[in-house]
Each structure stands twice: as structure tokens, then as C-alpha cells.
Amino acid sequence: MALGESFAGVLKAARVGAEWAWRALYADTAPDLLRYARASRAPDPEDVVGETFLRAVRGVGSFERDERGFRAWLFTLARNRIVDEHRKLVRRRTDPLPVEVLVEIGPHADAETEAMRALAEDRIRSVLDRLTPDQRDVLLLRILGGLTIEEVATVVRKKQGAVKALQARGIAAIRDKSELGAVTL
Amino acid sequence: MSGSIGPDDGFERLLAGETPKTPEEQALGLFLEDVRGAFQAEPSLAEEAHLAAIVQAAQLLADKGEPAVRSASKAEGRARHASGLPKRRRVIMKVPLMRSLAAKVVAGLVVLMSMFGGLALAGALPGQGADDDATDVVEIQDVSDEAPETEAPETEAPETEDADDQGENADDQGENEANDDQGENEDADDQGDDDQGENEDADDQGENVNDDQGENVNDDQGENEDADDQGDNDQGEQD
């Protein structure tokens, strides 16, 4: 964790609306939240990150845990948001975006890098899609979120034993149904 | 790759950043790298917009004061509100009786009543002994000087009570008379019920009733029945 000992002071300053504190918290957590949202197939991953922090702003006044707890709390908020977005996506129809908007929000790196990354992402997704949603959630929170078993249990609202079982079954499913070498870049 | 993924211990070591030791862990380590590489932490295009909105919201809530800052989610369970009202409400609910002035006054009166009541039963009140002496003197005076007068009210009271009782008894007697009449009727009814249970007796009752009706109303009816009976008998005889 980047903040470490200074987390308590940062949190105290964030409660009174200090901009530097929120910048520090955002820089520490937002990238991992964005990766988790992308891997979870959130319709708008960046919107998930923004909404997560806005909810954190409203709840930080009553937050009384350490930095690990703060991180787990943000992932909980993000996961709830993703679940809500998926539910809304089922209910509402999608409107296609204009080409100009797609070009503007599209990839900005070179084509080769983007192609390789897209290929790797597709391979990983093909492996993750073989898992159940709970198994996938547990593995992504552990790999991308860097959360412990206890923290994942808090995020997904399950017991630690259940999280361990989901993790083991997820790994076994990947081992049984996929050739890991084919996924490797 | 044909290598299988190791147990959870290997997964935990790889997550901690350790190098894989077995082929199984190597395969798992490659998978973890692939996942992390596929979903890299790129700089968000909306970072500045996010931060502007976050800071604005945080300062707005900070200006409103602490009571406005509440948990935005139930993810960590139901968070305690920052304001003090719910806590105070809980305290009130814990001791609702002692919160009102009337309850305190009533409680004090109950304590005083119980205390003086106990003293009165024990005869330890200050003026209680003098009253006992006075009553003793009065009783002595009543016996010696005005015995008839004092006895009269004492005897009158029981007499009036007896009179009342007699009156009540008289009323009761009157009621009993009525009840006696009713009892007779009930007896008659009971007899009737009993007689209904027995066919032969019912026949007898019918005869009795018919006898009564014949006596009270028409003797002719009884005579007619007798005539019918005679007729039947006659028919039987004819048959």
C-alpha cells in the first residue's frame, strides 16, 4: 500500500474535504478498481470508479478502519455498482454510439500494442468465462484487487470457508478445462 | 500446458510475489501474469473529472457538518449514524419510565407509602401509642358510665343489619315463593320429561293432562275421548 503510516492523516483530511487527501486516495486505489471493473465486464468501468468514490465521500465520515479496510470497502462499493449496472443492462436496451464518440473514447496507444492487449484480454476472458460468477469474482478480487481471503469474504458477503472453496474450485476449473499455456502471451 | 495448478499454498505464494518453485506453480504464475497484463492499470481519461466531482462533494458535505455524513452503503453492515439523535433515542427507550417527572413523583410516593405503612403496622409511629391509650380510656368510660347508651348503638347496628337481612330474607322468601312455584312447575316439567322418556308414563300423563283439561276447560272433551275410546273398544269388539 502506498499510503502506509500516513493513511490515518489522509483519511482525517479527506473527511473535511481536503483535495490533496482525495487525490492521494484516488491515486492509490482507482487503478486497481478500474482493472477490476474492466475484468468484471462493467458496461462503463470508469463510471464505476467515479461512482465508487462519490459513495465513499458520502460514507467516509463514519468509516473507522485501516487502509486495508478502506481498500476492501471501496471494492465492495465497486462490486455493488457493477452488479447494479449489470442488472440495469438486462432491463434497458442499448443505444449505439456515434462513430465520432467511439473514436474519441477508443484506444490511444499504437495499434500493435492495442491488438496484443486485446488478444490477451480475449484469451483471459475465455478462460474466466468458464468459471461461475462467484469463482470469477473471488479470483479477480484476489489477483487484481490484491485482497486477502478475509477481505474478499467481506466484499462478496460470504464466509471465509466459502471463499476458499470458491477459489480452489475456480483454480481447478481453470486447470481442468483450459490449457494455461495457450493463455500465456 | 499440461501442468496442473498447485494447491492454495502455491497460489498464496504467487499472490505474495514469490517466484514459482514447481511446474504447477509456474503455470499458475503465468496465468496470474496474463490476467494482470490483460487488465493493466491505465491512466483513466476521466481522472480529473472524477477528482473534481469527488472534491466538490467532499467539501459540500464537510460544510454541512457531521450529521449529514452518513454511510452511503450497507456493504459493511448498518453503519451508526454520525448524528447523536439515534443514540439518545436508544437511551430513552432503555429507561422510558424514569424519564418523566410524573413517574419520579409516583415512585417517591410509593416509597413513602410503603415506609410509613410498615411503621404503622409495627406501631412505631409517634402518635399511634397515645391514640391507643385514648381508646382504652374511652372504652373504660363507656363500660362504667354510659354502658346502655354505648351498647345501644352497638346492638342497634347488628339489629339493623339483622333487619336488613330479614328484609333480604323476606325478599328472598318472596323470591323463594316464586321459586317454589317455579320449582313446582319445574317439577312438573321434570315429571313430564321423565314421563316422555317412558312411553307408558307418557300415556299416563296424557291421560292426566287430558284429565286436567277436561276438568278446567271442557268436560266434554274428556267425555268425547272416552266416547272415542269406547268407540274403539266397540269397534274392537265388533271386529
Side-chain angles (χ1 to χ4, degrees), chain A residues 43 83-94:
Chain A
V83 171
D84 291 341
E85 288 295 323
H86 281 303
R87 289 173 180 168
K88 290 179 183 176
L89 196 62
V90 172
R91 289 196 296 264
R92 75 187 175 197
R93 65 181 184 87
T94 56

Side-chain angles (χ1 to χ4, degrees), chain B residues 102-161:
Chain B
K104 292 177 181 177
V105 171
V106 170
L109 288 175
V110 168
V111 170
L112 288 175
M113 292 287 288
S114 61
M115 184 173 66
F116 285 108
L119 290 173
L121 287 176
L125 290 176
Q128 197 170 3
D131 293 338
D132 293 338
D133 295 337
T135 54
D136 291 339
V137 170
V138 170
E139 288 176 356
I140 293 169
Q141 289 176 355
D142 290 342
V143 171
S144 61
D145 297 334
E146 298 176 355
E149 292 180 359
T150 54
E151 288 176 359
E154 291 178 355
T155 54
E156 285 177 355
E159 286 176 0
T160 54
E161 289 177 359

Side-chain angles (χ1 to χ4, degrees), chain A residues 22 51-61 70 73-74 77, chain B residues 72:
Chain A
W22 282 108
E51 285 295 325
T52 298
F53 270 90
L54 285 178
R55 292 185 184 185
V57 167
R58 289 193 290 267
V60 74
F70 184 78
W73 179 47
L74 289 183
L77 298 176

Side-chain angles (χ1 to χ4, degrees), chain A residues 150-184:
Chain A
E150 294 81 4
E151 292 166 349
V152 172
T154 302
V155 172
V156 299
R157 299 179 185 178
K158 293 182 182 296
K159 294 181 180 179
Q160 295 182 18
V163 172
K164 288 180 181 178
L166 287 171
Q167 175 181 295
R169 289 171 188 167
I171 293 172
I174 294 171
R175 178 196 60 194
D176 293 338
K177 297 180 180 178
S178 70
E179 296 295 331
L180 291 177
V183 181
T184 305

Side-chain angles (χ1 to χ4, degrees), chain A residues 102-111 114-115 117, chain B residues 42 45:
Chain A
L102 289 174
V103 169
E104 187 175 350
I105 65 175
H108 295 276
D110 60 282
E114 287 296 331
R117 195 177 67 106
Chain B
E42 297 175 347
L45 299 175

Side-chain angles (χ1 to χ4, degrees), chain A residues 63-177:
Chain A
F63 183 80
E64 297 175 350
R65 296 170 64 186
D66 57 358
E67 187 176 4
R68 297 285 312 183
F70 184 78
R71 186 179 178 86
W73 179 47
L74 289 183
F75 271 93
T76 303
L77 298 176
R79 181 177 177 273
N80 293 341
R81 177 71 180 180
I82 291 170
V83 171
D84 291 341
E85 288 295 323
H86 281 303
R87 289 173 180 168
K88 290 179 183 176
L89 196 62
V90 172
R91 289 196 296 264
R92 75 187 175 197
R93 65 181 184 87
T94 56
D95 297 326
L97 288 175
V99 177
E100 298 80 18
V101 177
L102 289 174
V103 169
E104 187 175 350
I105 65 175
H108 295 276
D110 60 282
E112 184 180 359
T113 305
E114 287 296 331
M116 293 298 291
R117 195 177 67 106
L119 185 62
E121 184 173 331
D122 289 341
R123 289 174 179 171
I124 291 295
R125 286 194 185 282
S126 66
V127 175
L128 294 176
D129 286 342
R130 298 171 183 173
L131 307 177
T132 65
D134 287 339
Q135 293 172 354
R136 184 169 55 246
D137 223 8
V138 168
L139 289 180
L140 289 178
L141 286 170
R142 295 229 61 199
I143 297 171
L144 299 178
L147 304 181
T148 64
I149 291 285
E150 294 81 4
E151 292 166 349
V152 172
T154 302
V155 172
V156 299
R157 299 179 185 178
K158 293 182 182 296
K159 294 181 180 179
Q160 295 182 18
V163 172
K164 288 180 181 178
L166 287 171
Q167 175 181 295
R169 289 171 188 167
I171 293 172
I174 294 171
R175 178 196 60 194
D176 293 338
K177 297 180 180 178

